[in-house]
Structure formats: C-alpha cells, structure tokens
Amino acid sequence: MANLNKVMLIGRLTRDPEVRMFSNGGKVAKFGFAVNNRRKNQQTGQWEDEPVFLEVEAFNRGEFGKTADLVEQYLHKGSQVFIEGHLKFDQWTSQEGQKRTAIKVVLDNMQFLEPRADGGTGGQPRTYPPRQKDAPGAPPPSDFDPGSDPGERPMDPPPPGAGEENIPF
C-alpha cells in the first residue's frame, strides 16, 4: 500500500518565528500559521471563513538547506506564504504528568507571496525573454540550463491542427 505525507498550504504567520540553535550547529525556526476553510452558512446563505491554526517547523538541513535561515530573515507575523511540507506527530509528557500530542507541519519548501520590503518582486511571477525558433539539430541557446524545470519557461503553442488525428475519441 502506498503512503503520501505532503501538505501544501497558503496562509499567514500568526506570530514571528522563534529560532533555536542546536549544539551541532543546526537551526530550527518555529512559527504559527493560519489558513482559512470557506464554507457556506446554512442559515444565512453567506460564505464564512473558518480558520485553522497550525504549528510549523523549518530546519536547516544538510550543506545547502537553509530554510530556517530564510524563515528567520524574511518572514514575520502577518506574512503571506505558500508552504510545502509534511506532517509530523509529536508526543510528550507535560510538567503535570499528562500525555500530550500535536500534529505539526515540517517545512520542506516555501514561496513568498508578498513583495519584498526592499521593493523587490517577492512572489511575483518571473518573466522570461521570448523564445526564438531553434533549427532542428542546432545547439541549445547559451542561456539553456539542463537542470532547470521545463515548466518554468513558457512553451511555444503547437501549430494549428497538430496531433488532432491522434486523439482516441
């Protein structure tokens, strides 16, 4: 049986990130996050927002993982951000001796959705120069990056009628 543990959310921070350092040099940034579920009120017929509050943890992982540093540097209470992560189940015993549990989101990736304070574009979509028609067998353009995601660059539309005869229905 397959398993999938992935969370994708757009929301706002409910408090400034709290950052802690580990003795091995690692770092974790913890913050509150809120998203809204929209539902229609059966009595009034009006749409209402039902907030959901979550705890999120971001770690610096490996040589290149600096997610906690980015959270610490750029996010603050009220920041809107898209986050991708996975769920983690925590269990502990309180000081009163009661067993406690919580489900948290561990941040894997994020996208800023607001303009930067320094006037940058923040989460605005990137724009690319128009593509030129490449001759068959020609070398790739000088700005070609074989490691880039092909979905990041707009593709030329197919010629009219191309492939229509191959549609199986």
Side-chain angles (χ1 to χ4, degrees):
M1 180 161 76
N3 288 304
L4 177 65
N5 182 358
K6 183 165 184 102
V7 176
M8 297 174 17
L9 302 165
I10 294 177
R12 294 190 181 272
L13 273 70
T14 59
R15 65 178 188 275
D16 289 333
E18 301 171 16
V19 179
R20 284 200 222 155
M21 299 289 291
F22 298 122
S23 59
N24 66 0
K27 184 186 277 190
V28 62
K30 298 180 180 185
F31 56 92
F33 195 72
V35 297
N36 285 324
N37 286 331
R38 301 235 342 132
R39 66 177 191 87
K40 195 170 191 177
N41 185 314
Q42 297 300 322
Q43 283 86 21
T44 66
Q46 299 292 318
W47 286 96
E48 297 175 346
D49 287 334
E50 183 179 314
V52 176
F53 299 98
L54 304 161
E55 292 296 314
V56 181
E57 296 178 339
F59 295 90
N60 281 355
R61 290 197 176 128
E63 188 176 333
F64 302 107
K66 301 295 180 191
T67 309
D69 290 337
L70 292 172
V71 167
E72 178 182 27
Q73 186 174 1
Y74 294 108
L75 297 183
H76 54 83
K77 181 178 179 178
S79 295
Q80 186 177 37
V81 65
F82 166 76
I83 64 173
E84 287 182 84
H86 60 274
L87 298 175
K88 179 177 104 175
F89 183 70
D90 276 348
Q91 300 180 49
W92 70 96
T93 304
S94 70
Q95 292 178 346
E96 294 82 29
Q98 295 180 333
K99 291 192 177 202
R100 306 285 300 198
T101 61
I103 294 179
K104 297 180 180 181
V105 176
V106 177
L107 184 66
D108 295 326
N109 194 13
M110 68 179 161
Q111 175 72 42
F112 305 114
L113 297 179
E114 297 179 316
R116 295 189 317 219
D118 64 2
T121 59
Q124 300 301 319
R126 290 184 259 182
T127 56
Y128 295 93
R131 292 184 63 174
Q132 298 175 353
K133 299 283 183 198
D134 299 326
S142 60
D143 66 343
F144 176 73
D145 178 8
S148 68
D149 179 4
E152 289 183 1
R153 194 165 206 186
M155 295 179 65
D156 293 329
E164 290 178 1
E165 65 279 353
N166 296 332
I167 299 175
F169 51 87

